[in-house]
């Protein structure tokens, strides 16, 4: 096996595992701020309880996000040293800014959020929650800035740098704000945030729907579910708009990537947008494709006769990305997005009718819908990064001339051998598998435990109470018909929110 | 002072901040098994529970700042020491999940596994940091382009391993002093002898490393000849080393903890002082070294980063102050502890 393939595999493995957590904690962070604000405002203990429950879940996910995130920072240097030398001036400063502006904020107030319940007042605790949420958002800003710069570089110049008499070209910042607000930053940032909100909301809905189906923690579950449903519906609809702008931006700045997304091998007017298909890169066609002819031209140029460049025209300058993977990831993401729009609108309709919690089939759907929400976030990452290949830093093409840019194959560490990378992949594979199993195991335990019952909590009695409440809930689930309480007109979930 | 020098200093500040802060929680982990039962170990763990994550951010920011300010040095060091860095990553992951997962299941075996994970991964991380410092002191083979061309044994020389052992002893001592401050009663009494034991182990290793360094590494004294004011730090370091047993003897635990903090700061300073103006020293061809000048980013970026640091520093200090103030005093267990 060669170093290039192994290093790419390692990066994909470690970042995809890492990317399970940050969108989730960003989404959950918003939920926590909302719950704590509600508690401060209404003084209803149910919000306090809900905040405590989701904070415990948040803490577990956050810890895993932090440890898997450190790996990413190291890997730029360990596996992609030439890349680091080439982009350190630009990319490194965004990463350092992330540390200075986001990580310190996040970690300092995380301590107060997780451990400060009895040490600081409710207002300070709310402030800490807000800061942790903000820290996550700041963090995403800098990391998306750095990544967007790789996709659509701006505000830099390629200059010669001398090391011990040997010159080599590298990117240096000439305009900081142009670098930060490069052509794709804003679109991608909004897309990433909405993806995070959707994931956070579906995560909350999944657990709440399960409680509703099992007849446990009903009041808590209804409020959590409806709050999250609102967030999910709005975000899913907004994501459709954001996705469109995103695709337009790709069409303008990374035409080869768009061609890969759509399996558009030959330049043509009346270009097809596929619903699904099986692109064959060797035969240069999309097999078994079902699509709408002309739709791609309309989406990109607002005109069915608009000529969309195909890979045949682009590959000379840009090289050819792995079409199959980019195509499938892109289409999976869109298909899931559409499914979410449909399902959240359906659920909202039943909510409006006041019969949402009677639709057991819909609740079962929401129990499992968190999985596609994870998949959509991951697929978005795969589409963005694979579509960029064979470039690690995308080139700028002016009048048919390729300037700047760095090929992935040329970005590797010179000092690292294949067996080193293979060893480390095995290490990561083992550790991450263990982490994954433990994550699911502990998440399940926390969900089984559920929110604390209403009433004052004390350390000495906590264990006993947990057991007791578990029994009560279990008993309830056996005897109580789930449909009964929902018809109560006083139920806050149907009248409030 | 030029911009590169400023950033060399600022990186030193970040590294010292990391070594002092995460130093005590690594040290605490090394002494984890001084706690005899579950409650004592929970107390030990929770003495650093809310703080370790924030402490580790100093390392993350150090890495980011090195990447941004001296990308050549970052790329050479990280790719050259590939396996060591991977091992360090595994340690940091294990340490974090040991802390996070230990209290999540009420089972003696479960907790024992994570107790071992916490102690072993932290000890190994401390060793690796020390080995990295030792290897950086002796220098490693670099090509003219500044790329690592050595093998694994250039990184784990006997000297580097000895520096690693000294680092472990230093941090264990730092952790013992910290734990003495944060605990009370029976548990506190248990750390009393450990403060002395770790001190004597450290002192012995310190003498060995000092003699070894002076005898084999020319660079160690070169800068002291050129910049004699460096002696001030050497003297201060020695004073701190003697101030620590004085603090212990006179029952002033805060003095002891401050002394171990000062020692760590002095060691980081002397490490930087020895390297200066190199970041990665080439051995055997010193002319291939990566200095702060041939490995730095552009001046524009260094200026920009300075602005970022100037804006960020007051915030960082205030978050740190709020965090340490909130969790001041003796460690207590409540329902929100690990």
């Amino acid at each position: 096996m060669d170093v290039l393939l192994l290093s790419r595999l390692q990066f994909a493995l470690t970042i995809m595992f890492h990317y399970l957590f940050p969108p989730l904690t960003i989404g959950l962070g918003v939920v926590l701020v909302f719950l704590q604000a509600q508690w401060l405002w209404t003084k209803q203990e149910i919000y306090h309880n809900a905040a405590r429950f989701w904070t415990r879940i948040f803490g577990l996910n956050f810890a895993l996000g932090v440890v898997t995130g450190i790996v990413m920072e190291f890997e730029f240097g360990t596996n992609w040293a030439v890349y680091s030398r080439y982009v350190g001036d630009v990319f490194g400063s965004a990463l350092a800014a992330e540390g200075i502006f986001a990580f310190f904020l996040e970690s300092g107030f995380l301590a107060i959020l997780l451990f400060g319940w009895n040490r600081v007042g409710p207002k300070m605790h709310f402030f800490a929650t807000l800061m942790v949420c903000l820290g996550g958002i700041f963090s995403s800003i800098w990391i998306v800035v750095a990544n967007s710069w790789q996709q659509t570089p701006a505000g830099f110049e390629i200059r010669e740098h001398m090391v011990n008499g040997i010159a080599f070209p590298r990117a240096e910042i000439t305009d900081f704000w142009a670098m930060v607000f490069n052509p794709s930053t804003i679109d991608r940032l909004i897309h990433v945030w909405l993806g995070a909100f959707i994931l956070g909301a579906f995560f909350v809905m999944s657990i709440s729907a399960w409680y509703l189906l099992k007849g446990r923690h009903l009041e808590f579950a209804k409020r959590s579910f409806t709050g999250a449903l609102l967030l999910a519906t709005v975000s899913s609809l907004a994501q459709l708009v954001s996705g469109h702008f995103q695709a337009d931006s790709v069409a303008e700045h990374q035409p080869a990537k768009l061609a890969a997304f759509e399996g558009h091998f030959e330049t043509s007017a009346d270009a097809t947008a596929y619903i699904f298909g099986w692109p064959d890169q060797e035969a240069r066609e999309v097999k078994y494709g079902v699509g709408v002819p002309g739709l791609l031209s309309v989406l990109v140029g607002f005109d069915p006769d608009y000529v969309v460049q195909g890979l045949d025209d682009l590959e000379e300058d840009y090289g050819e990305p792995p079409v199959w993977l980019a195509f499938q990831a892109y289409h999976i993401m869109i298909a899931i997005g559409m499914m979410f729009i449909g399902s959240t609108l359906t659920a909202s309709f039943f909510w409006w009718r006041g019969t949402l919690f009677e639709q057991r089939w819909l609740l079962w759907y929401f129990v499992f819908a968190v999985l596609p929400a994870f998949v959509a976030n991951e697929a978005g990452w795969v589409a963005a990064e694979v579509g960029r290949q064979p470039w690690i830093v995308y080139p700028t093409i002016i009048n048919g001339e390729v300037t700047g840019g760095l090929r992935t194959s040329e970005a590797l560490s010179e000092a690292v051998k294949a067996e080193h990378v293979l060893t480390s992949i095995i290490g990561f594979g083992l550790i991450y598998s263990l982490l994954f199993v433990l994550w699911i195991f502990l998440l399940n335990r926390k969900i089984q435990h559920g929110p604390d019952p209403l009433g004052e909590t004390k350390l000495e009695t906590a264990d006993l109470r947990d057991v007791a409440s578990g029994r009560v809930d279990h008993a309830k689930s056996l005897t109580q018909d789930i449909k009964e309480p929902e018809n109560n007109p006083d139920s806050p979930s149907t009248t409030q929110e | 002072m030029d911009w590169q020098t400023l950033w060399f200093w600022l990186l030193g500040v970040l590294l010292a901040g990391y070594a002092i802060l995460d130093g005590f929680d690594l040290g605490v982990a090394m002494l984890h098994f001084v706690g005899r039962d579950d409650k004592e170990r929970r107390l030990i763990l929770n003495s650093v529970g809310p703080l370790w994550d924030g402490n580790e951010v100093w390392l993350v920011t150090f890495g980011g700042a090195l990447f941004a300010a001296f990308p050549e040095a970052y790329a050479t060091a990280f790719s050259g020491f590939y396996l060591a860095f991977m091992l360090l990553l595994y340690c940091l992951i294990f340490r974090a999940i040991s802390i996070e997962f230990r209290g999540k299941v009420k089972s003696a075996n479960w907790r024992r596994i994570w107790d071992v994970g916490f102690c072993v991964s932290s000890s190994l991380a401390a060793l690796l940091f020390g080995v990295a410092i030792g290897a950086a002191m002796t220098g490693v083979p670099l090509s003219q382009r500044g790329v690592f061309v050595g093998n694994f044994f250039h990184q784990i020389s006997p000297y580097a391993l000895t520096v690693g052992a000294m680092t472990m002893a230093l941090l264990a001592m730092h952790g013992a002093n910290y734990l003495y401050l944060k605990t009370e009663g029976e548990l506190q009494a248990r750390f009393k002898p450990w403060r002395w034991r770790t001190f004597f182990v450290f002192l012995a290793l310190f003498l060995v490393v000092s003699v070894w360094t002076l005898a084999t590494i020319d660079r160690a004294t070169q800068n002291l000849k050129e910049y004699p004011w460096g002696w001030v730090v050497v003297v201060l370091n020695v004073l701190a080393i003697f101030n620590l047993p004085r603090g212990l003897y006179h029952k002033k635990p805060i003095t002891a903890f401050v002394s171990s903090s000062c020692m760590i700061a002095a060691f980081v300073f002397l490490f930087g002082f020895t390297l200066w103006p190199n970041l990665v020293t080439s051995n055997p061809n010193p002319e291939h070294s990566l200095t702060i000048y041939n490995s730095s980013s552009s001046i524009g970026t260094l200026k920009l980063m300075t602005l970022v640091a100037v804006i960020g520093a007051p915030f960082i200090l205030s978050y740190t102050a709020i965090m340490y103030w909130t969790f001041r005093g003796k460690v207590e267990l409540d329902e929100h502890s690990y």
Side-chain angles (χ1 to χ4, degrees):
Chain A
M1 288 242 232
D2 68 328
V3 188
L4 177 63
L5 183 64
L6 288 168
S7 278
R8 287 182 65 186
L9 265 178
Q10 177 167 323
F11 198 82
L13 167 74
T14 49
I15 203 158
M16 286 179 76
F17 190 71
H18 173 60
Y19 204 58
L20 292 174
F21 308 106
L24 187 55
T25 46
I26 289 174
L28 279 178
V30 175
V31 173
L32 290 184
V33 168
F34 170 78
L35 290 171
Q36 294 244 6
Q38 285 285 311
W39 183 53
L40 270 185
W41 189 255
T42 66
K43 301 277 176 234
Q44 287 184 41
E45 206 194 337
I46 188 161
Y47 289 112
H48 186 49
N49 245 23
R52 287 158 54 114
F53 174 73
W54 292 114
T55 301
R56 287 201 292 268
I57 304 248
F58 176 89
L60 176 64
N61 292 311
F62 195 91
L64 287 166
V66 169
V67 293
T68 53
I70 298 177
V71 173
M72 305 322 303
E73 191 202 36
F74 274 47
E75 267 181 359
F76 296 123
T78 51
N79 293 62
W80 305 95
V82 174
Y83 163 81
S84 301
R85 296 177 205 280
Y86 183 83
V87 301
D89 203 278
V90 183
F91 193 95
S93 46
L95 219 58
E98 187 190 17
I100 290 171
F101 290 133
F103 290 157
F104 278 107
L105 177 69
E106 236 171 7
S107 63
F109 288 104
L110 179 74
I112 298 175
L113 170 60
L114 296 183
F115 304 101
W117 294 95
N118 303 334
R119 286 187 170 254
V120 297
K123 280 184 185 146
M124 179 63 190
H125 199 262
F126 171 71
F127 179 72
T129 313
L130 192 62
M131 290 300 114
V132 171
C133 178
L134 208 59
I137 287 173
F138 283 171
S139 188
S140 67
I141 291 177
W142 289 105
I143 221 64
V144 170
V145 162
N147 186 273
S148 296
W149 183 84
Q150 273 178 279
Q151 308 271 354
T152 56
F156 74 107
E157 221 172 64
I158 304 293
R159 292 189 188 139
E160 295 270 290
H161 179 73
M162 300 284 281
V163 179
N164 298 327
I166 300 175
F168 80 104
R170 70 174 188 188
E172 292 183 6
I173 300 178
T174 52
D175 182 342
F176 178 72
W177 293 112
M179 184 272 278
V180 170
F181 294 106
N182 65 69
S184 63
T185 301
I186 299 292
D187 285 337
R188 304 175 94 244
L189 201 50
I190 292 171
H191 204 61
V192 163
W193 283 343
L194 289 171
F197 296 160
I198 291 173
L199 179 58
F202 271 87
F203 187 80
V204 171
M205 287 195 288
S206 168
I207 296 172
S208 309
W210 191 77
Y211 286 152
L212 287 166
L213 287 165
K214 296 285 163 195
R216 294 170 56 179
H217 317 295
L218 290 175
E219 186 59 33
F220 162 86
K222 279 187 217 164
R223 291 199 195 198
S224 293
F225 190 93
T226 47
L229 178 62
L230 186 69
L231 180 64
T233 311
V234 172
S235 303
S236 299
L237 287 169
Q239 191 68 300
L240 184 67
V241 181
S242 156
H244 175 69
F245 281 113
Q246 174 78 348
D248 268 357
S249 158
V250 171
E252 189 181 344
H253 299 285
Q254 297 175 288
K257 191 193 221 179
L258 185 82
F261 282 171
E262 287 294 356
H264 193 55
F265 288 102
E266 275 156 42
T267 301
S268 67
D270 201 21
T272 306
Y274 289 99
I275 295 167
F276 63 82
W278 195 270
D280 183 335
Q281 201 153 0
E282 296 203 345
R284 304 189 70 78
E285 60 173 349
V286 177
K287 288 182 175 162
Y288 323 113
V290 174
V292 184
L295 182 61
L296 184 60
S297 291
V298 172
L299 287 175
V300 175
F302 302 107
D303 176 6
D305 293 327
Y306 184 84
V307 177
V308 181
Q309 280 189 299
L311 284 168
D312 53 347
D313 269 358
L314 297 163
E315 66 188 357
E316 195 184 329
D317 292 337
Y318 289 101
E320 205 164 314
V323 176
W324 187 87
L325 193 53
F327 181 99
Q328 300 302 1
Y330 181 71
H331 283 85
I332 287 171
M333 174 180 74
I334 292 177
I336 294 173
M338 294 299 171
M339 181 173 98
F340 283 172
I341 290 174
S343 57
T344 51
L345 284 177
T346 308
S348 299
F349 171 75
F350 284 117
W351 179 25
W352 173 66
R353 290 279 301 272
T355 58
L356 173 60
F357 302 116
E358 290 164 34
Q359 316 298 326
R360 290 181 69 89
W361 59 278
L362 195 58
L363 293 176
W364 275 115
Y365 161 83
F366 278 108
V367 168
F368 294 105
V370 68
L371 299 174
F374 274 113
V375 172
N377 274 277
E378 296 285 353
W381 179 84
V382 171
E385 303 297 278
V386 173
R388 188 187 59 206
Q389 302 303 325
W391 300 92
I392 196 165
V393 178
Y394 221 61
T396 318
I397 300 195
I398 304 162
N399 300 327
E401 201 172 318
V402 181
T403 50
L406 179 68
R407 285 175 183 274
T408 310
S409 57
E410 289 160 9
L412 283 168
S413 299
E414 315 92 317
V416 176
K417 295 181 181 60
E419 61 263 29
H420 295 165
V421 186
L422 189 62
T423 312
S424 59
I425 290 184
I426 293 169
F428 280 119
L430 292 172
I431 293 173
Y432 281 11
S433 308
L434 176 72
L435 281 188
F436 187 77
V437 171
L438 288 170
W439 178 53
I440 298 296
F441 170 69
L442 291 173
L443 210 52
N444 181 48
R445 279 179 66 96
K446 285 188 189 299
I447 295 167
Q448 297 293 352
H449 178 277
D452 295 321
L454 295 179
E456 195 39 54
T457 48
K458 286 235 167 48
L459 179 64
E460 290 77 22
T461 56
D463 294 348
L464 266 178
R465 234 181 353 83
D466 293 343
V467 174
S469 68
R471 284 204 187 119
V472 170
D473 285 331
H474 183 64
K476 250 189 222 162
S477 71
L478 289 175
T479 54
Q480 199 173 15
D481 184 0
I482 182 160
K483 286 171 190 164
E484 196 183 286
E486 274 73 28
N487 294 333
N488 182 354
D490 297 333
S491 173
S493 58
T494 49
T495 54
Q496 279 182 2
E497 290 173 289
Chain B
M1 189 160 68
D2 49 38
W3 294 99
Q4 282 92 345
T5 309
L6 176 71
W7 271 94
F8 186 79
W9 279 99
L10 287 176
L11 283 176
V13 170
L14 283 171
L15 187 60
Y18 173 71
I20 292 170
L21 296 176
D22 212 32
F24 72 69
D25 58 54
L26 289 170
V28 163
M30 285 185 236
L31 299 174
H32 191 54
F33 283 98
V34 173
R36 289 197 183 155
D37 55 25
D38 184 55
K39 182 159 181 270
E40 287 193 351
R41 288 183 201 154
R42 273 192 78 197
L43 280 164
I44 292 172
L45 183 66
N46 281 294
S47 72
V48 297
L51 308 172
W52 70 271
D53 180 36
N55 295 343
E56 208 164 281
V57 169
W58 288 79
L59 176 70
V60 176
T61 306
F62 173 81
L66 182 67
F67 190 4
F70 302 105
E72 286 290 325
Y74 168 82
T76 294
F78 277 56
S79 61
F81 291 58
Y82 187 85
L83 291 176
F85 272 114
M86 288 299 150
L87 202 53
L88 178 62
L89 278 176
Y90 300 159
C91 287
L92 293 178
I93 293 174
F94 259 102
R95 185 166 77 111
I97 61 171
S98 300
I99 297 172
E100 198 57 40
F101 291 171
R102 183 188 182 279
K104 297 277 191 284
V105 177
K106 285 187 174 49
S107 139
N109 283 329
W110 171 273
R111 294 190 170 193
R112 204 168 300 125
I113 290 168
W114 297 117
D115 281 336
V116 173
F118 182 47
C119 180
V120 171
S121 59
S122 304
S123 312
L124 193 54
L127 176 73
L128 285 166
F129 283 125
V131 170
I133 286 174
M137 292 282 286
T138 52
V140 289
L142 297 184
S143 71
Q144 191 184 350
R145 173 65 185 78
V147 175
F148 179 77
V149 288
N151 58 39
F152 191 61
F153 295 98
H154 287 109
Q155 301 163 13
I156 51 158
S157 62
Y159 172 79
L161 284 170
T162 315
V163 176
M166 184 190 92
T167 309
M168 283 175 78
L170 173 67
L171 299 185
M173 177 179 80
H174 192 45
N177 284 314
Y178 176 79
L179 277 167
Y180 191 81
L181 282 175
K182 292 295 280 188
T183 54
E184 51 197 343
E186 208 181 315
L187 184 59
Q188 189 187 38
R190 217 163 282 174
F191 288 112
K192 210 169 184 173
W194 278 100
R195 298 180 306 161
W196 287 104
R197 286 172 203 161
T198 49
F199 173 73
F200 285 118
V201 174
F202 160 74
L203 193 64
L205 285 164
F206 170 70
L207 293 173
V208 173
V209 168
S210 300
V211 172
W212 200 337
T213 306
L214 291 172
T216 61
I217 299 173
D218 298 337
R219 297 190 59 80
T221 46
Q222 205 175 316
N223 276 334
L224 280 176
K225 283 177 199 142
E226 214 162 315
Y227 310 99
W229 57 266
W231 283 106
V232 175
V233 182
V234 177
V235 172
L236 285 176
N237 192 19
V238 172
L239 285 178
I241 290 172
F242 285 105
N243 199 40
L244 194 141
R246 203 178 68 93
L248 297 184
Y249 185 78
H250 290 291
K251 298 193 169 45
K252 287 177 179 161
I254 293 178
T255 307
F257 182 70
V258 171
S259 300
S260 58
S261 303
C262 289
M263 267 184 250
I264 293 173
F267 280 121
V268 171
F269 177 87
L270 290 173
F271 171 58
F273 195 75
T274 307
L275 283 185
W276 168 270
N278 291 351
L279 283 164
V280 188
T281 305
S282 175
N283 180 11
N285 301 84
E287 68 277 14
H288 293 171
S289 295
L290 287 174
T291 69
I292 59 169
Y293 298 106
N294 66 19
S295 69
S296 84
S297 284
S298 62
I299 298 296
T301 294
L302 292 179
K303 282 183 186 170
L304 183 81
M305 295 266 303
T306 309
L307 185 66
V308 167
V310 167
I311 296 171
F315 286 103
I316 292 171
L317 293 177
S318 51
Y319 312 144
T320 310
I322 290 172
M323 177 170 72
Y324 276 82
W325 176 252
T326 305
F327 298 100
R328 67 193 181 278
K330 302 284 182 189
V331 60
E332 285 163 12
L333 296 180
D334 67 19
E335 61 187 308
H336 300 294
S337 307
Y338 280 121

